[in-house]
Every structure is written in C-alpha cells, then in structure tokens.
C-alpha cells in the first residue's frame, strides 16, 4: 500500500526507507538503515523531484501512482544522477512515455553511461538560473557541481520557497513516520549520522559547499528537502550553520579523538594512559577508537567534530599498521584539515610508524603537530612516564588556549 505525506499544499513526499540495508555504497555501516526521498508537485503540470533506489521501487511507484490519481507525470527533475536516486527513470518512462526529464548536460551524459536507454526527445536541458513554470508554481535551477558529484543541481520552488537540495543536508538513517526534523529528537537521533554522512560523502568538497552556501544566502528559504533523511522546515539556520562549520573545516568542539592500532595491547595501554591523564586535567568528551574494531567513517565523523586528534600505531612489516594507514589515507583523501595532531608510535626492531604517520598527516592542509611524538619500544616503561606527561601537558595547553567555534543552536527558530 501507498505511504505518502504532504509537506506543503500540493507537494507530497513519495519516498521510502530501507531499514534492511547493511552498507551505504557497500562501504558505510547503516545500523539504522537509510531513507530515499522523492517529492511530487501537483500543479497545472506535475513534477517529480528525483526517484529512489531500486530496493524500494515497488513502494515508490505505488506512492507516485496514488498521488497522481490517474494524471500524467509531466516532468521528472533529476537533481542527482547517483543510482540510489535515479534507479527508476526508465520505469517511469515506460509508464509515462511523454515524460520530460529535466537536467543539465552532465546529467544526461551520466544517464546514458549508467543505463541502456537513450531518449533525447524527452530531455529538457537547463542551465544556471533557468526557470520552469508548472502553472502557479515555478521551479528555478541552480548548478551545484561537486556537492558532491559534478552534475548535481538544486531546484528552488519559488512560491513556497522550498529548496530541493539533492544529497546536501542529508544523513544516514531511515525515517520512522516523522519526516520533518522538528518532529524528531534531531540531536539525539540524526545529528551524529548527519555529520558522518557529510564528512564521508561530501567532506572532500568543502570549497564547493562554501560556494553553494554563498549562493543560498541570496535566497529566502522556508524548507530544505534533501534526498536522504528528514526535511527541514524550522531552524534552517542550525543545519546551514553546521554545513558552514564542516565545509570550512572548523571543529565544532574543543576536545580529543584518540585513534589507535594495537596488536597485543601495548599501544592501546599508552593511549588509555593518555586519555586518563587528559581526563584528570579536565578534558571532557574524549573519544577513543580501535581502528581494527571501528569503521573508519565513525572515526572520521568525530575528527570533523573535534579540534585535537591523537594517533597511535605500531610498526607492522616495516611499515605502518594497515588499519591506521587506511584511516589516515582516507582522511587525507577527504581533505580534512585545520586540526591539531599528536602521535604515538610503537616498534620492536624497525621504527616506521611515526615516520609514515608524519608524512601522511604532514601533507594535509593546516595541520599543527602538538608535542614531541612519543615512541615506545614494544611496551611502555616507567622511565618514559615523564615524556608521556609532557605530551599530556602540551595537548592540554593547546586545548586550553584554543577558541571554540560558535555553535548553531536548535533552540533558535530562525528561517532564512
């Protein structure tokens, strides 16, 4: 049976959730599943904002047909050509052969790369600022390349001032009836997964996000409708503020993330000592992760949140431990920057971990190393306690003198 909700007069959410999917893009764990959003506008002409993943095709098509009530579908706007949002284009063309597909030139290039159909007679190509009248409503298109694919665009509905934002402002996690952020405990349920989604999916493209935020600042926006996660109709300044922090690589909070690799527990012991001593100094909300146990997406998400990072790793086969090497390379690929970093290395006969961690992290932008790297030979010894204590002092002094970023507050009810 159909499952739809009206988000504004004659604009209906026709998406769905997949609570069974284990991994997003076959990489990122989804303990709470994922939502795929699509929105149908009913005017003199009808327009559908994107489709959904093939996993929920049956539900999606039933939703669309129910809302249309026998009417034709006139337009399909493709804001993003990633398969989790465009898997049903061909199915819609079979049902509505006169359907006009709205996209930019890159949209249709990707469409014909992914699929075997070619329907140029159905293509409606738009450029920056172009408008499409549906009758009483008008859609305006903004090209937003590399947020987070090169063909991405946003669609702005000018009457109710609704922004259909593709993957921007979305998050991991399925929906459970409540499709609006203000209907949920957003900070308790969705914030961590919004940050994890941003850091791992969009994070590399901070400069492009900054350009888009500047473009959006010129618009009056009453609602943001992303392709994943809940819809924003209140406190838009909150999520826009978060995106401004994340895309400018500013930490949200002064604090420490400790990520380590440990084969037999000796490196882990040093990291526990560091964490305990930092806590005794008054540092709060310390996060600690074993890179062999925790998926890198969670560690990267917290690296986006906190100001200080401590990495600890043994040397393995004359090189850096595999899990730590993969984590640091992923952080570098995602363009993480403007963090303060301390290092702990461990070795028995060949010392490589500190050198390799320094090289990888040193190539990242605006990284400040705090304190002297602490090098352990196999296991921590009493005579090295003064070195560890000095590293704790250096990290604490750095945290204490840093200025916290201003935080967007959900308590403020500000619309654009």
């Amino acid at each position: 049976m159909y499952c739809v909700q009206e988000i504004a007069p004659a604009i209906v959410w026709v998406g769905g959730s997949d609570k069974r999917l284990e991994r997003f893009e076959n990489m990122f764990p989804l303990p709470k599943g994922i939502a795929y959003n699509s929105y149908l506008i009913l005017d003199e002409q009808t327009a559908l904002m994107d489709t959904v993943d093939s996993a929920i095709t049956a539900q999606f098509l039933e939703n669309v047909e129910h809302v249309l009530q026998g009417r034709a579908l006139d337009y399909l706007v493709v804001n993003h050509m990633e398969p989790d949002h465009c898997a049903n284009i061909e199915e819609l063309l079979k049902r509505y052969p006169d359907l006009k597909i709205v996209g930019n030139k890159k949209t249709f290039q990707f469409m014909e790369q992914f699929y075997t159909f070619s329907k140029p007679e159905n293509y409606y190509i738009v450029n920056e600022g172009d408008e499409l009248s549906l009758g009483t409503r008008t859609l305006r298109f903004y090209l937003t390349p590399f947020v987070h694919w090169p063909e991405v665009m946003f669609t702005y509905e000018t009457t109710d001032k609704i922004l259909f934002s593709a993957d921007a402002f979305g998050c991991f996690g399925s929906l459970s009836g409540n499709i609006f952020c203000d209907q949920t405990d957003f900070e308790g349920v969705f914030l961590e997964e919004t940050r994890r989604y941003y850091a791992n999916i969009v994070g590399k493209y901070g400069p492009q996000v900054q350009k888009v935020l500047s473009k959006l600042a010129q618009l009056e926006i009453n609602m943001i409708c992303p392709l994943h996660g809940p819809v924003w109709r209140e406190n838009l300044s909150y999520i826009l503020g978060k995106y401004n922090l994340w895309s400018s690589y500013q930490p949200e909070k002064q604090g420490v993330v400790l990520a380590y690799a440990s084969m037999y527990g000796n490196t882990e012991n040093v990291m526990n000592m560091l964490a305990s001593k930092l806590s005794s100094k008054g540092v709060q909300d310390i996060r600690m992760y074993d890179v062999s146990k925790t998926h890198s997406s969670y560690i990267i998400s917290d690296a986006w949140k906190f100001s200080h990072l401590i990495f600890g790793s043994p040397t393995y086969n004359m090189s850096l431990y595999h899990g730590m090497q993969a984590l640091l390379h992923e952080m570098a690929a995602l363009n993480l920057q403007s963090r303060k970093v301390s290092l702990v290395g461990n070795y028995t006969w060949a010392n490589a971990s500190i050198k390799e961690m320094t090289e990888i992290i040193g190539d990242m932008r605006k990284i400040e190393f705090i304190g002297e790297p602490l090098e352990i030979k196999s296991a921590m010894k009493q005579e090295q306690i003064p070195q560890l204590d000095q590293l704790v002092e250096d990290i604490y002094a750095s945290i204490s003198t840093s200025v916290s970023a201003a935080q967007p507050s959900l308590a403020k009810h500000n619309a654009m």
Side-chain angles (χ1 to χ4, degrees), residues 220-277:
E220 182 181 356
I221 303 172
N222 293 331
M223 188 180 296
I224 298 176
C225 296
L227 288 176
H228 295 294
V231 172
W232 289 87
R233 64 180 177 183
E234 295 183 5
N235 301 305
L236 272 61
S237 59
Y238 175 85
I239 189 61
L240 290 165
K242 290 291 187 186
Y243 259 61
N244 185 49
L245 280 177
W246 297 338
S247 60
S248 57
Y249 304 100
Q250 299 178 57
E252 294 173 67
K253 185 175 183 180
Q254 297 300 315
V256 183
V257 177
L258 299 95
Y260 66 88
S262 190
M263 290 183 284
Y264 302 108
N266 291 306
T267 306
E268 180 181 33
N269 178 57
V270 178
M271 301 297 277
N272 279 327
M273 293 175 70
L274 276 168
S276 179
K277 288 175 178 287

Side-chain angles (χ1 to χ4, degrees), residues 44 80 98 104 122 140 142 157 228 250 255 289 291 328 342:
E44 294 173 21
H80 186 22
D98 295 326
N104 55 72
N122 291 75
R140 187 185 304 148
Y142 293 93
E157 192 280 317
H228 295 294
Q250 299 178 57
Y289 297 104
V291 300
L328 295 181
S342 302

Side-chain angles (χ1 to χ4, degrees), residues 98-389:
D98 295 326
L99 174 65
K100 294 296 183 184
I101 304 173
V102 182
N104 55 72
K105 290 181 180 179
K106 187 68 72 173
T107 304
F108 296 112
Q109 175 191 327
F110 287 0
M111 192 177 297
E112 297 196 354
Q113 288 175 199
F114 273 110
Y115 304 110
T116 56
F117 69 85
S118 178
K119 294 279 188 177
E121 64 275 16
N122 291 75
Y123 298 168
Y124 188 106
I125 298 176
V126 296
N127 297 299
E128 176 75 13
D130 284 354
E131 294 187 344
L132 172 63
S133 174
L134 302 178
T136 61
R137 296 179 182 274
T138 299
L139 304 180
R140 187 185 304 148
F141 305 100
Y142 293 93
L143 303 186
T144 56
F146 290 103
V147 183
H148 60 118
W149 275 27
E151 90 303 349
V152 172
M153 64 185 194
F154 290 179
T155 300
Y156 179 67
E157 192 280 317
T158 62
T159 300
D160 284 322
K161 299 175 173 51
I162 299 174
L163 184 72
F164 299 95
S165 61
D167 270 348
F169 310 109
C171 68
F172 295 132
S174 60
L175 300 176
S176 299
N178 299 133
I179 66 169
F180 294 103
C181 290
D182 56 276
Q183 295 176 324
T184 72
D185 174 12
F186 180 81
E187 290 188 324
V189 176
F190 286 110
L191 177 57
E192 295 291 333
E193 291 292 67
T194 302
R195 184 188 302 105
R196 186 165 71 99
Y197 183 87
Y198 177 87
N200 290 275
I201 305 300
V202 188
K204 180 180 179 68
Y205 304 107
Q208 289 84 356
V209 173
Q210 283 286 302
K211 289 180 181 178
V212 169
L213 290 175
S214 295
K215 191 179 294 189
L216 297 184
Q218 311 306 313
L219 298 176
E220 182 181 356
I221 303 172
N222 293 331
M223 188 180 296
I224 298 176
C225 296
L227 288 176
H228 295 294
V231 172
W232 289 87
R233 64 180 177 183
E234 295 183 5
N235 301 305
L236 272 61
S237 59
Y238 175 85
I239 189 61
L240 290 165
K242 290 291 187 186
Y243 259 61
N244 185 49
L245 280 177
W246 297 338
S247 60
S248 57
Y249 304 100
Q250 299 178 57
E252 294 173 67
K253 185 175 183 180
Q254 297 300 315
V256 183
V257 177
L258 299 95
Y260 66 88
S262 190
M263 290 183 284
Y264 302 108
N266 291 306
T267 306
E268 180 181 33
N269 178 57
V270 178
M271 301 297 277
N272 279 327
M273 293 175 70
L274 276 168
S276 179
K277 288 175 178 287
L278 286 167
S279 177
S280 296
K281 298 284 290 183
V283 178
Q284 299 181 7
D285 201 10
I286 298 169
R287 305 293 176 93
M288 181 178 288
Y289 297 104
D290 181 338
V291 300
S292 298
K293 296 274 288 184
T294 302
H295 192 272
S296 62
S297 65
Y298 293 97
I299 305 173
I300 289 168
S301 177
D302 269 349
W304 238 266
K305 180 177 181 179
F306 290 99
S307 58
H308 288 66
L309 312 175
I310 306 175
F311 299 105
S313 178
T315 296
Y316 189 85
N317 277 346
M318 309 289 284
S319 185
L320 185 59
Y321 190 87
H322 300 162
M324 180 60 69
Q325 188 178 62
L327 172 65
L328 295 181
H329 276 300
E330 185 65 13
M331 284 184 174
L334 289 169
N335 204 25
L336 180 65
Q337 56 190 262
S338 302
R339 293 299 184 270
K340 301 180 189 299
V341 176
S342 302
L343 301 177
V344 174
N346 194 350
Y347 69 99
T348 299
W349 73 90
N351 184 6
S353 60
I354 290 287
K355 179 177 180 292
E356 291 198 25
M357 286 191 290
T358 301
E359 289 175 351
I360 298 170
I361 298 168
D363 285 339
M364 298 163 66
R365 297 186 63 218
K366 300 180 182 178
I367 296 296
E368 179 183 350
F369 287 101
I370 304 298
E372 288 295 319
L374 179 61
E375 292 191 308
I376 306 300
K377 293 182 179 179
S378 303
M380 185 74 180
K381 298 297 191 295
Q382 184 64 37
E383 58 266 25
Q384 284 194 284
I385 294 297
Q387 290 177 258
L388 185 145
D389 286 341

Side-chain angles (χ1 to χ4, degrees), residues 59-76:
Q59 178 71 73
F60 168 70
L61 293 174
E62 190 166 352
N63 288 347
V64 170
E65 290 176 5
H66 170 76
V67 174
L68 285 173
Q69 291 289 301
R71 292 184 63 182
L73 181 59
D74 298 303
Y75 295 100
L76 168 64

